[in-house]
Amino acid sequence: EESLAAATPPAAATSFPQLQPASTMQNDAGEIVDLYIPRKCSWTNRIITSKDKGSVQINVGHVDSKTGLYTGKFTPFALCGYIRSKGEGDIALTNLASKIPESS
């Protein structure tokens, strides 16, 4: 029985180590901030990865309906490289921009 007891490792050795969080980044106020926050395509709702080099983010400015002047506000749209490579980026941006409410 002694040889069997010596062959089994102690219980502490078989437990899994606790996972430490990946490198956490803090700002000056001590709040934890992420290193990378992925975006989603505004047209397809696909996640835009950091490797998607064909993706773009376009800010569409809001214009006053009476004067035609820029109001200082904008709505950002992100388009993934997949949509752009299919040649549908212009259709997507036109449809998204047309759905912006006029009161914004």
Side-chain angles (χ1 to χ4, degrees):
E1 291 184 21
E2 290 182 35
S3 63
L4 183 61
T8 58
T14 59
S15 65
F16 293 105
Q18 289 190 351
L19 296 175
Q20 297 296 323
S23 61
T24 56
M25 190 172 184
Q26 295 181 354
N27 60 9
D28 294 336
E31 300 168 343
I32 296 176
V33 294
D34 289 329
L35 297 175
Y36 174 72
I37 300 173
R39 297 175 293 163
K40 287 182 84 173
C41 179
S42 300
W43 187 245
T44 62
N45 287 328
R46 289 181 176 203
I47 292 179
I48 300 174
T49 64
S50 60
K51 300 289 183 182
D52 188 356
K53 303 301 181 190
S55 64
V56 293
Q57 180 169 333
I58 299 173
N59 294 331
V60 177
H62 296 202
V63 178
D64 185 15
S65 60
K66 295 178 183 175
T67 62
L69 297 176
Y70 174 61
T71 61
K73 297 179 182 178
F74 61 88
T75 301
F77 294 112
L79 297 176
C80 62
Y82 170 75
I83 291 298
R84 296 187 64 221
S85 69
K86 288 180 61 176
E88 296 180 4
D90 58 336
I91 296 168
L93 187 61
T94 302
N95 285 334
L96 289 168
S98 66
K99 293 178 184 178
I100 297 174
E102 289 189 27
S103 62
S104 300

